[in-house]
Structure formats: C-alpha cells, structure tokens
Amino acid sequence: MTSISMGTGRSTADRLAAIRGGVQPKRHNARTIAALTRNPGCARRAVLDTAGVDKQRLAAYIDFPARFGQSGFAIARGNAFEAQVKASGAAELVRLLRERLGLPIPEVAYDDLETVTGREKESPEVRYARSRALLLRAAAGEEDAGTLFDHPLLALEVAGQRVYLEPDLIAFQHEGRFHVVEIKSFAVVDGQADPAKVSAAAIQAAVYVLAMRQMLAEAGHDPEIVAHDVILVCPRDFSNSPTAVLVDVRRQLAVLRRQLGRMTRVDTMLAALPPNLSFDLAPDADGVPTRAPEALVEALRTVEARYAPDCLSVCELAYFCRAEARGCTAALGTSAREELGGIERVETALGLAKGELSPAEEQEEAAALLRNAARLRAEVLGTAG
Amino acid sequence: MAESVDAIEHRIDALRAEIRRAVATRDTSRTRALRAELRAAERDWEQAVADLADLADLSAPTGEAPVGAEPGPAGSLLPVREQVHHALTLLSVPAAPRLIAEVHAAFFGPSAPSLAANRLTHLRRDEKRSFETAPYARPYHLCAALTAAHLAPARGLIAVSTWPLERRIVGPLSPRVDFLTAAVRVARRAGTMPDGSAPVSKLLWRFATNIPGATGAPGTLDRHDTVDPQTVIRAAEAEQAVHAETDRAQRKAAADRARRQLDDVQQLFGSTLRTLQRKTA
C-alpha cells in the first residue's frame, strides 16, 4: 500500500491539504499509480489523487457512487494466502525461490519491515529509512545484508510529489540481484491464469521495480541489479499450495516510465486552478458532511477531466465524469476521438454525417469519413431491410 | 451474571452497527470509545458463557462436580494460556498464533476452538498488563519475541517468559532457524506417537515440504502419509548447521544489549522506544 505524503514544497503541501480538507490523506497503492498513468492527461484525477482526497466518498456524496472495488471476501482471501506463504520466516517462499531461482541454502535471512520500532502506527519516514538502509546495504554487497525483505517501503516521485509504496510482497537479493515478489491469490490452473489479472499484477510489480531502481540509482548503484523478471506467487490449481512464475515486466516498465515522465507537475496544475478550490466535505462532529453536493460538483467542474471509457474500471469518479462527458465524442473512446479530431460534440458529428452541417476547414477530413460511414450504414440497412 | 447471554449478544450487535456507522463517518474518537465498550461487552459475554457452562455441568445428571467453581475473568483465559504454553513448549521457539493453534490441534486434540489468532493478540496484551501490575506473580507469562535490530516486539510472534532471552530474540536468520528447530521438535514428537494420526502427519508434511531433502524421494511431495520423522530430523539439522553459528552470534549480541538497555517489562514485551527518531535527531 502507498500513502501520499507532502514531502516537497511547503506551499504546495498546504495547498493540497486545503484541497483535501481537514482529513487524513487517502492511502494509495501501486494500483492507483498504474491507473494514474493510464490516463495521464486527466487533471482532475491527478489533483484529487495527489491531494489524497477520498474519491470513493466524494463520488458517493455527489450521487455517483463507484461500482467497483475489491470485496471484503477477496481481500481476506488475499491476506490469508499472503500470510500462509510468508509464515515461519517465509518458509514456503524460500522453497519456491530455491526451486525457481536456485537460491542457495545459506540465503534465508528474513527482515520484517512492516513494523520497525514495534509501534502500531509508524510514520512512513521511519519505515522508509529502515528499508532504504537495509536494501542499500544489500546492494553494496555487504556480508549478512539479508535476503528477504517483507513489506519494505519504497518511494517514487509522481508529478513532483513523493509517494510511498509498500510492495505487498518481498524484494529479495540473490547473487547481487533484486527480485520483486508479488503474492496474489488468483489461481494458476494448469499453468494458466487470467491474463487480465496477470497483467494488472505485472503493472503493479513494475511500479515497485521502478521505485527500487530509482532508489538504487540515487544512491549510486547500478539500477539494473533489480531484475525485470518479477516473481508472481499464486495458488496452484485448486489447492492452497503456492506456485511461482517469472513475469517479464520490461514492457510495463517502459510504459510507466514514459507516462510518469509526461505527467504534468502538480505545481503547474495547481497554479491554473482557483485559489479557494477545495473538496472538503466539511464533516460536522458526527462525521456527516455539511457542504452541499452542488458546491462540490461545481468545484469538480473547475478541474478539467479527460474521460475515457477505460476510466470506469480504474477511477472512482468515472461515473460522474461519464455523465458530464455525455455528448462529447471523447466519451466514445480513444480511437473514436482520434478519428473525429476537431469534432467535440456528438451532435456535430451526426450533423456532419447527414450533411446538415457544413464542415469547417479542419473538420473536412473527419466529415468525409463520417459521410462515408453514414452512406455505408444506409446501404447496409437498405439491403438488409 | 445479571445480564443474560442473549441480552449481551444483542448489545454487541448494536455496538458493532454503531461502530460501523462511526467508522463510515470518520468519527475516530467516537469509534475508539465504542470499541472499548465493545471489548467490555465481549468480556461480559465470555464470562456469561463460562457461567453457563458451569451451570450446565452442575445440572448434568452424570456430570462431575465442578472443581473450585471460580471462573473469574482469568477463568476463561486460563485454559487458552495453557494451551498456548503447551504448544510453545513443544515447539521450543517463538511461534505465530496460527502455528500454535495447529500444533495444539495436532498433538493435544482439537479442543482449542478459542485459539483463534485475534484472541491471542488480546492474550498478549492481557499478559503484559498482568505482569506490569504484579511482576513474576505467575509461573510463566506469554510474552513477545524481540527483534534483534531494535529490541521491539516482533510482529505476530508469541514466546514464553521463562525462556532465555537469546531464544526470544529474532535476528534475520532466526525465523529460518526457529522453523527448522520447530520441525525437529514436531518430528521427534511425531516419532514417539504410536500411530501416525492424520493431523500430526499433515503438520509434519507441511514442515517437510519446505526443507530440502526432508520428504525423502522426489515425487512423493503430495502425499503427506509418507513422511518419515527421522528423515525430517536429519534434513532439518543439516540445514540448521548452515545457519546456526551466525544466528547464535547475532542473537547473543542482541540479548546482551537488551539486558543492558531494557527494564524487566521491556525485556519480556519489547521496547517501543523511538530508536530511529532518536538516532536522526
């Protein structure tokens, strides 16, 4: 899991805190970063996520509740499987790694980084400092530097802000190489798993690989010692016994790096927004929001969104944005948007197709395409009917 | 008990619903107060159920007379404490609640429904409170294993206070060494059992599959009735020899440090000093 912390730039931090309101920033995970990079042009999402606004709650309050999320059952199952694999100093994982990577017998050192000083609530800085110290010691090839690191905390710069990432997994060192281990509770049956789930896990793991590599590079180590093969641990067939597969995340890494690089820095984005912008629900003593939903909707409208059908599966506010984008050609998906370059509204497109509107100069290409499509449609319907 | 079990259950349900609402509205102070109330109600419930059991014993026609019928708040805890102590004594190393429950179920019968993991965290907190009010009043306390790095309580591990400090320290190699030690202990015990019971051989098999060479011939990995305790002991000891010396040195160094730096309570239940912050300050 990740939390977004306001490490850099005091004024930016204050600004983000004001946008968030008087509540704790929402905790994020590698999924949100993966999703963030899927639609990098969406300022609304970038601002809300960087400020740590609870989008789920916001969406529900303005009457566009998100209809997704992991079920409690799935989360419990995932946690139980992870606990099983990591029980007794990750005994099951050690066996898998010995089989899969030829991990030598002496390499079993296990460091639990989920808590460092035994306090239940620890600042991410403390955990990050400890993880960093241990991982860098391992990178330097020191004696007894450790092999398995349970829940280390990594950090990544996203849009100019430091985001802490907690691999729900173990980063591990063997003959000078780190491997990111991702533990997932979806089954691998006959060596096959749901491709969508595997690819989601791969993107998530790639976020960790990227964060690890950046940390090593900053400390003057070769970032390539973090393997681009991540180890995916899943239950085998219909049993609870784990199996490990290597997944190459080079492609995901390239995509992530490019998207993160393109993301507008949050300071630049904030500068363009009204200074009193806030998504504070202003809860009263009983936690009941006191702000009118209309005020929040208005605040949302001041931040530009870029809705695409893809958003429905990754963003909590997608239903609101979809309703807002009704009638826009962009809402039809990226390919339709590209074909209809320069035509913003669906009505315009229909008008052009029927020849009721005359296209402007830059719309001529798209208009020809539309008229062609309309003719084809008429022909097909005519012969069919 | 004045309040009937039904009434307490009703109260618990109401409190849970209330907590859910409080959490949903992010009201942390109210949530905390309600949680405390819920814990109290759950204690009442334990007590009421224990009383009920006593009543049932008394009224049962063939039932034996209850011995010293004084359930008290410790009454319901005592058996759990002892179950945990039995399992830990068998294992001889700090262990996670899940393993403790499994070991107990395998060797001492399945009479441990209350050995659930969440009960055990409560237990450790209760033990600490008891030790703080009356140190060394009990023959043993269930306490924490300490991390070698910060002498903080190791997450999710339970130990026994009468063990030497070295055994309760967890260094980087200790989880593996303790796992192998536990495997040897379980295998020895399984070897003395007259007839391999299914839960015991299953437990032993789970240890064996994660130790190189412990399952005997390859290909028998999926059959847990074929595991030979002697093979497991040999394999575990062989791997243990690889890690033992480094681990012992690390544990000893940490234990010496703990004796110098920590008071009695901290030596048993761990220090939560802000070691890192102090270092950076």
Side-chain angles (χ1 to χ4, degrees):
Chain A
M1 303 286 133
T2 327
S3 65
I4 288 192
S5 125
M6 285 66 228
T8 52
R10 213 39 244 169
S11 63
T12 309
D14 290 345
R15 189 80 201 276
L16 291 173
I19 288 175
R20 183 175 63 244
V23 287
Q24 284 293 309
K26 175 95 174 123
R27 287 171 72 81
H28 288 254
N29 53 42
R31 276 170 204 235
T32 57
I33 294 186
L36 209 62
T37 58
R38 253 211 244 175
N39 194 354
C42 183
R44 184 176 290 166
R45 189 189 165 99
V47 168
L48 291 172
D49 274 347
T50 321
V53 173
D54 186 342
K55 284 187 295 177
Q56 184 111 32
R57 195 153 181 257
L58 178 63
Y61 187 57
I62 57 171
D63 243 3
F64 286 95
R67 277 165 246 180
F68 65 90
Q70 270 185 301
S71 71
F73 177 75
I75 292 172
R77 180 176 150 73
N79 290 346
F81 182 67
E82 191 186 335
Q84 179 202 327
V85 172
K86 288 181 177 175
S88 304
E92 289 196 336
L93 193 59
V94 166
R95 168 173 58 83
L96 291 172
L97 295 174
R98 283 174 177 171
E99 284 166 10
R100 195 56 66 178
L101 295 172
L103 187 68
I105 298 287
E107 296 258 15
V108 292
Y110 172 91
D111 284 286
D112 184 354
L113 296 167
E114 191 160 344
T115 65
V116 175
T117 57
R119 292 178 167 261
E120 271 173 27
K121 278 208 173 147
E122 270 171 352
S123 67
E125 286 79 15
V126 171
R127 292 186 50 206
Y128 175 64
R130 171 85 176 138
S131 304
R132 188 170 180 276
L134 279 182
L135 293 169
L136 290 183
R137 223 158 70 85
E142 283 184 36
E143 282 280 303
D144 307 327
T147 304
L148 303 168
F149 304 97
D150 187 350
H151 282 285
L153 208 61
L154 306 173
L156 195 64
E157 289 278 312
V158 179
Q161 294 285 310
R162 171 175 273 195
V163 172
Y164 284 110
L165 292 163
E166 182 180 353
D168 138 66
L169 55 77
I170 302 166
F172 124 86
Q173 195 251 352
H174 157 234
E175 289 176 355
R177 271 186 99 69
F178 287 97
H179 287 261
V180 165
V181 180
E182 178 78 30
I183 302 170
K184 289 283 177 199
S185 62
F186 59 81
V188 175
V189 179
D190 270 342
Q192 299 281 311
D194 183 342
K197 286 179 176 160
V198 174
S199 101
I203 298 179
Q204 219 178 312
V207 176
Y208 303 135
V209 172
L210 196 65
M212 260 305 263
R213 285 189 170 176
Q214 281 190 6
M215 186 182 80
L216 291 178
E218 278 162 26
H221 293 287
D222 176 12
E224 295 297 311
I225 59 176
V226 184
H228 54 69
D229 284 326
V230 300
I231 296 159
L232 184 61
V233 177
C234 292
R236 184 164 45 95
D237 298 335
F238 298 103
S239 71
N240 253 342
S241 58
T243 181
V245 279
L246 289 176
V247 179
D248 186 344
V249 297
R250 262 177 294 187
R251 198 176 57 78
Q252 285 85 348
L253 273 173
V255 173
L256 265 176
R257 217 176 275 132
R258 198 170 63 91
Q259 302 283 54
L260 285 174
R262 267 175 41 179
M263 274 177 58
T264 325
R265 287 183 60 89
V266 72
D267 323 24
T268 329
M269 233 157 20
L270 288 175
L273 295 173
N276 58 348
L277 178 75
S278 172
F279 298 103
D280 192 353
L281 300 181
D284 61 16
D286 293 327
V288 181
T290 55
R291 267 181 89 185
E294 296 77 41
L296 288 159
V297 169
E298 205 164 300
L300 279 172
R301 289 201 201 284
T302 60
V303 192
E304 201 193 335
R306 187 174 290 180
Y307 172 80
D310 223 19
C311 295
L312 286 178
S313 58
V314 292
C315 182
E316 292 88 344
L317 276 173
Y319 285 94
F320 171 77
C321 300
R322 184 175 69 168
E324 189 189 48
R326 178 162 297 151
C328 286
T329 49
L332 301 175
T334 34
S335 58
R337 188 175 61 194
E338 272 159 33
E339 299 273 1
L340 299 175
I343 303 171
E344 301 247 309
R345 307 289 307 171
V346 173
E347 307 92 80
T348 321
L350 288 174
L352 289 170
K354 291 182 193 147
E356 291 162 3
L357 291 176
S358 49
E361 205 177 318
E362 73 276 5
Q363 292 174 336
E364 255 165 30
E365 201 178 322
L369 202 81
L370 281 165
R371 278 197 297 270
N372 232 344
R375 186 176 51 78
L376 282 170
R377 179 173 180 275
E379 273 174 25
V380 169
L381 289 179
T383 47
Chain B
M1 262 337 268
E3 207 174 356
S4 80
V5 179
D6 286 341
I8 300 177
E9 277 167 3
H10 204 76
R11 192 149 60 89
I12 288 176
D13 283 347
L15 279 169
R16 288 220 173 104
E18 196 68 14
I19 289 175
R20 181 161 43 77
R21 274 194 291 274
V23 168
T25 53
R26 306 261 151 136
D27 189 342
T28 40
S29 58
R30 188 166 159 70
T31 311
R32 216 174 305 130
L34 285 168
R35 284 227 162 97
E37 219 175 302
L38 177 65
R39 274 195 293 276
E42 278 169 346
R43 270 197 297 277
D44 289 349
W45 184 83
E46 298 278 347
Q47 180 67 57
V49 169
D51 291 349
L52 219 63
D54 288 344
L55 277 177
D57 280 348
L58 280 173
S59 56
T62 54
E64 292 160 9
V67 210
E70 53 93 29
S76 57
L77 279 178
L78 198 66
V80 180
R81 275 189 94 223
E82 253 158 43
Q83 287 166 10
V84 174
H85 187 236
H86 279 162
L88 281 174
T89 308
L90 192 152
L91 289 169
S92 83
V93 290
R98 205 189 146 97
L99 180 62
I100 292 174
E102 276 168 356
V103 166
H104 193 278
F107 289 104
F108 307 107
S111 63
S114 48
L115 267 183
N118 55 346
R119 284 285 316 266
L120 292 188
T121 29
H122 283 294
L123 188 64
R124 199 163 76 176
R125 226 169 284 150
D126 287 344
E127 292 281 298
K128 185 177 180 188
R129 223 170 288 140
S130 142
F131 185 84
E132 279 166 345
T133 44
Y136 303 109
R138 295 175 173 180
Y140 65 85
H141 285 82
L142 297 175
C143 61
L146 310 186
T147 62
H150 298 288
L151 302 176
R155 197 163 55 94
L157 290 179
I158 298 178
V160 181
S161 61
T162 50
W163 290 349
L165 196 48
E166 277 82 356
R167 208 193 288 174
R168 293 192 290 110
I169 297 276
V170 185
L173 291 171
S174 310
R176 187 67 187 174
V177 170
D178 286 352
F179 171 75
L180 296 168
T181 309
V184 171
R185 302 278 299 197
V186 165
R188 284 226 176 95
R189 183 67 176 248
T192 63
M193 305 275 279
D195 219 352
S197 76
V200 170
S201 56
K202 209 162 179 178
L203 181 68
L204 187 61
W205 169 79
R206 288 249 316 280
F207 275 104
T209 47
N210 293 317
I211 303 169
T215 45
T220 55
L221 201 78
D222 289 333
R223 302 197 40 211
H224 53 76
D225 49 351
T226 56
V227 179
D228 169 36
Q230 290 310 315
T231 319
V232 175
I233 295 173
R234 265 198 306 279
E237 283 177 344
E239 194 192 326
Q240 214 171 17
V242 179
H243 317 301
E245 203 168 314
T246 325
D247 181 49
R248 203 176 301 129
Q250 286 168 347
R251 286 188 196 214
K252 191 178 174 311
D256 290 344
R257 200 150 44 85
R259 283 193 202 94
R260 279 199 312 274
Q261 294 176 354
L262 305 183
D263 63 28
D264 285 1
V265 178
Q266 288 174 337
Q267 280 190 29
L268 289 183
F269 297 96
S271 143
T272 47
L273 290 174
R274 274 154 290 175
T275 322
L276 273 173
Q277 266 120 325
R278 212 174 42 192
K279 216 181 274 174
T280 51

